[in-house]
Amino acid sequence: MASAALKTALTNVRVFDGQRLTDPTTVVIDSGTIGTIGTIGTDVKGAQTLDAGGAVLLPGLIDAHVHLHGPDSLDQLAAWGVTTGLDMATWPPELLASLRDVPGTTSIRSAGTPVIGPGGPHSCFLAEEAVIRDAAHADRYVADRIAAGSDYLKIILEAPGEGGPEAAAAKALVAAAHARGIRVIAHAVSHGAFAMALDAGADIVTHIPLGTPLDPTAPERMRSQGHIGVPTLTMMEGVATARGDEKAFAGSMASVAALHRAGVPVLAGTDANTQPGVSFHVPHGTSLHQELELLVAAGLTPAEALRAATSLPARHFGLTDRGAIAPGLRADLVLIDGDPLSDIRATRTITHVWCGGIEHAVADA
């Protein structure tokens, strides 16, 4: 259940500013946005006051790869401090529309129905309207997705010859999307699909192959061409474990470490889903905290991991009203009882969550 106060003053709170924790200060939530910040001259008149006792305030967390299955998905995300979910496949459009702009819970952006080829594992549960068979239809596919409310385009690529969109179709889809001003996210779980995503010019590549690490030239190519990575380590670890091949996950971790060393922006995304027929079901909300821990294990600092779930996805998905704690931004906030810069596992110790200034019940840790 969500509750709202027109104005709430969080006092004696340490703010994660994207780099470090500030000294104890006051942050005012005012009608859904962040108002004044500071201990001197902060207007708290008429505000409900919460003394944080030196606890840490984070920007609302952003999961850069989720799948939504109804209102419960939103509330599960919010209960774990994930105040924005970047959905990578939800259909039909009526379901997606029902999950947008719901007050007091997780806010979403979505790809809607993704684009697939005529074969491959996703053809088993996606409608025929998702299938592209040749490059000539790319512009129509992109126009249809935008008309249905998609915020960005999701292309599910497979290795050449395995039933995904052909290389020419992938390139045409990217060109058509960019001509209409929207980003392209490419699903790539194999080395062949990953290479195709880079060749096609996709903005964001989601997943990271299991087994052999990426070709040593790939990280620098991604950096120089401006590609973004969303490795979904939680999903890849789950798939490797389900296959009984835990060693394969070491290759994924090595690839993420290489991307990070090369300066490729790495975003935190989990592939949270309950879709029948997929390789592994990742729980909504709690999995993002596991993702942060895996990113740190792959070589990111705790501060870098936090940026991977706050300011970086906000920047690279064009969400200019969130991702940081600053006056005028949306009041998506998470109060935790611990220091995540000393131990990233502290992000799990959630005491309060606000979604657009409305407090949401937290999960039982």
Side-chain angles (χ1 to χ4, degrees):
M1 179 171 298
S3 62
L6 288 179
K7 195 171 184 179
T8 302
L10 310 179
T11 63
N12 194 22
V13 66
R14 294 181 295 161
V15 172
F16 175 63
D17 66 4
Q19 299 288 338
R20 60 190 63 83
L21 302 182
T22 67
D23 291 332
T25 188
T26 296
V27 175
V28 176
I29 300 170
D30 193 352
S31 299
T33 60
I34 299 170
T36 53
I37 299 176
T39 55
I40 299 176
T42 300
D43 180 14
V44 298
K45 185 177 180 180
Q48 172 183 306
T49 300
L50 172 62
D51 185 345
V56 171
L57 190 66
L58 303 175
L61 302 175
I62 301 173
D63 190 328
H65 189 138
V66 301
H67 296 276
L68 304 172
H69 306 285
D72 287 350
S73 299
L74 303 181
D75 285 335
Q76 289 163 10
L77 291 166
W80 283 98
V82 182
T83 59
T84 300
L86 301 176
D87 172 64
M88 293 299 156
T90 291
W91 68 92
E94 294 78 13
L95 172 60
L96 179 58
S98 73
L99 301 176
R100 290 188 185 274
D101 304 318
V102 180
T105 192
T106 295
S107 169
I108 66 164
R109 300 292 186 275
S110 179
T113 303
V115 184
I116 64 173
H122 291 82
S123 63
C124 298
F125 51 82
L126 278 163
E128 175 65 23
E129 66 186 32
V131 177
I132 188 168
R133 299 184 184 279
D134 60 71
H137 294 107
D139 190 67
R140 176 173 63 81
Y141 271 79
V142 173
D144 287 348
R145 296 300 178 271
I146 293 174
S150 296
D151 299 292
Y152 37 81
L153 186 71
K154 169 79 175 294
I155 308 174
I156 297 180
L157 299 177
E158 310 291 350
E162 294 188 0
E166 296 296 329
K171 290 180 181 179
L173 286 164
V174 172
H178 287 172
R180 293 172 181 267
I182 67 170
R183 294 168 177 79
V184 178
I185 294 86
H187 162 109
V189 297
S190 68
H191 289 277
F194 206 95
M196 187 184 295
L198 301 188
D199 290 342
D203 302 287
I204 297 168
V205 184
T206 189
H207 305 305
I208 198 83
L210 290 166
T212 305
L214 291 173
D215 185 284
T217 65
E220 176 55 29
R221 182 183 179 192
M222 290 185 71
R223 185 203 63 77
S224 64
Q225 295 179 183
H227 300 284
I228 313 300
V230 184
T232 67
L233 288 170
T234 301
M235 169 57 95
M236 305 318 293
E237 182 179 40
V239 171
T241 300
R243 292 177 180 173
D245 187 12
E246 290 86 348
K247 291 182 179 179
F249 183 60
S252 298
M253 291 289 280
S255 294
V256 173
L259 294 178
H260 178 58
R261 287 194 301 270
V264 176
V266 173
L267 312 186
T270 63
D271 204 4
N273 76 91
T274 59
Q275 178 67 43
V278 303
S279 301
F280 182 71
H281 289 154
V282 176
H284 292 83
T286 182
S287 57
L288 187 62
H289 300 274
Q290 180 181 353
E291 191 74 20
L292 294 176
E293 293 158 17
L294 289 171
L295 289 175
V296 170
L300 279 69
T301 67
E304 289 169 336
L306 287 174
R307 291 196 292 274
T310 54
S311 58
L312 287 182
R315 178 190 309 166
H316 293 296
F317 279 84
L319 305 176
T320 59
D321 64 342
R322 67 197 70 190
I325 299 175
L329 296 187
R330 180 180 164 93
D332 288 344
L333 300 165
V334 183
L335 191 66
I336 63 172
D337 186 18
D339 180 356
L341 301 187
S342 297
D343 185 349
I344 194 63
R345 293 174 296 179
T347 62
R348 295 178 181 269
T349 62
I350 300 169
T351 62
H352 296 271
V353 174
W354 291 267
C355 299
I358 301 175
E359 188 165 3
H360 191 285
V362 302
D364 294 329

